[in-house]
């Protein structure tokens, strides 16, 4: 027995020199667990929006859209539109504005206003061009965040279009044109200031003018369509 232990110690010292001074005993119990402990989860952590009713999902999204509308009507430097961006509000505003600019009957070719598709393309194509311009100038805002801000800031012009339609119901004289001009100019300035308030901080300081100018043209074109609209 002693000769065997001597041979084992010699082999251990040759193959693994660092283990020469380590004594192995079978009497030492092995402690510990190989399983990974799983922490307790609270009910809120296990809750998923996939499990909630459809009504709750719709109400939550509508509240989020309403809050963004409030931020646009009271513009200030805030990251609300940038942090939780969505395209539901811009889509609703674009469709509403296009429908109100659709004058006359659906079968009429000369309806006194741009077609629905024209307004839709102008708004979304203009927003995409402004976003690409912002990215090329070194802006830190993402593509869809910029589309969200530009789309939501059409809200004042949509309100201006609604007011102009109501004014046109009373007549299309000089007084009506002056009232519409004042409303459209005020809402045009509101949309421009609101969009720049959200987008200004995401641009390099020496290139802000190059970003604001396309935004100015974008809302100017929409304002011009609203001001020159005359129902059939």
């Amino acid at each position: 027995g002693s000769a065997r232990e001597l041979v084992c110690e010699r082999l251990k010292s040759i193959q693994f020199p660092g283990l020469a001074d380590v004594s192995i005993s079978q009497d030492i119990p092995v402690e510990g667990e190989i399983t990974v402990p799983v922490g307790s989860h609270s009910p809120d952590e296990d809750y998923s929006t996939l499990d909630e009713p459809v009504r709750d999902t719709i109400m939550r999204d509508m509240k989020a859209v309403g809050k963004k509308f409030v931020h646009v009507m009271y513009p200030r430097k805030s990251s609300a539109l940038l942090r939780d961006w969505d395209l539901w509000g811009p889509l609703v505003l674009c469709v509403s504005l296009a429908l109100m600019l659709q004058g006359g009957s659906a079968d009429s070719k000369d309806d006194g206003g741009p077609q629905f598709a024209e307004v839709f393309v102008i708004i979304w194509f203009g927003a995409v061009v402004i976003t690409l311009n912002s990215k090329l100038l070194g802006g830190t805002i993402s593509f869809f965040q910029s589309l969200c801000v530009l789309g939501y800031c059409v809200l004042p012009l949509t309100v201006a279009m609604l007011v102009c339609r109501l004014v046109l119901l009373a007549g299309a004289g000089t007084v009506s044109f002056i009232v519409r001009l004042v409303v459209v100019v005020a809402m045009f300035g509101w949309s421009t200031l609101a969009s720049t308030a959200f987008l200004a901080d995401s641009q390099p300081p020496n290139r802000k003018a190059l970003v604001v100018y396309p935004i100015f043209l974008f809302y100017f074109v929409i304002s011009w369509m609203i001001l020159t609209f005359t129902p059939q």
Side-chain angles (χ1 to χ4, degrees):
S2 59
R4 183 179 179 181
E5 292 179 358
L6 182 60
V7 172
C8 291
E9 289 293 335
R10 178 62 61 182
L11 291 175
K12 185 171 63 174
S13 62
I14 294 174
Q15 296 179 358
F16 305 101
L19 299 178
D21 299 332
V22 178
S23 59
I24 302 176
S25 174
Q26 298 180 354
D27 299 333
I28 301 177
V30 179
E31 298 180 355
E33 298 179 356
I34 62 173
T35 59
V36 178
V38 180
S40 61
H41 296 279
S42 62
D44 295 336
E45 294 177 352
D46 295 334
Y47 180 76
S48 175
T49 55
L50 297 176
D51 301 329
E52 68 178 0
V54 177
R55 178 178 178 275
D56 295 343
T57 304
I58 295 176
M59 292 302 298
R60 187 183 69 252
D61 293 341
M62 291 181 62
K63 289 179 180 179
V65 172
K67 290 180 180 179
K68 293 182 178 65
F69 284 155
V70 173
H71 282 287
V72 173
M73 297 308 295
Y74 297 96
R76 59 184 183 275
K77 291 185 178 181
S78 173
S79 60
L81 291 183
L82 304 179
R83 183 177 61 253
D84 303 321
W85 63 267
D86 67 79
L87 299 180
W88 289 112
L91 178 62
V92 172
L93 292 175
C94 180
V95 172
S96 302
L97 185 60
L99 289 176
M100 286 188 289
L101 284 171
Q102 187 77 24
S105 61
D107 298 332
S108 176
K109 296 182 180 179
D110 186 14
D111 54 9
Q115 296 293 329
F116 179 90
E118 294 176 357
V119 179
F120 204 87
V121 170
I122 287 173
I123 292 178
W124 286 105
F125 181 75
V128 169
V129 170
I130 294 174
T131 301
L132 293 177
N133 176 70
S134 173
K135 296 295 292 183
L136 292 176
L137 290 175
T140 58
I141 190 174
S142 70
F143 182 82
F144 290 104
Q145 285 176 334
S146 180
L147 288 181
C148 174
V149 172
L150 294 172
Y152 270 100
C153 290
V154 178
L155 175 62
L157 292 175
T158 306
V159 175
M161 184 66 227
L162 179 61
V163 174
C164 289
R165 289 299 297 255
L166 295 177
V167 172
L168 287 172
L169 293 177
T174 305
V175 177
S176 173
F177 177 78
I178 294 176
V179 172
R180 290 187 289 122
L181 177 63
V182 172
V183 172
V184 171
V185 170
M187 293 304 174
F188 162 70
W190 201 326
S191 294
T192 305
L193 291 176
S195 59
T196 53
F198 291 109
L199 299 177
D201 292 339
S202 63
Q203 305 300 325
N206 57 340
R207 297 180 179 178
K208 288 184 178 181
L210 297 176
V211 177
V212 173
Y213 180 67
I215 296 175
F216 175 87
L217 291 180
F218 173 65
Y219 291 119
F220 178 80
V221 172
I222 300 176
S223 301
W224 183 257
M225 290 191 301
I226 296 174
L227 183 61
T228 57
F229 170 79
T230 53
Q232 188 179 10

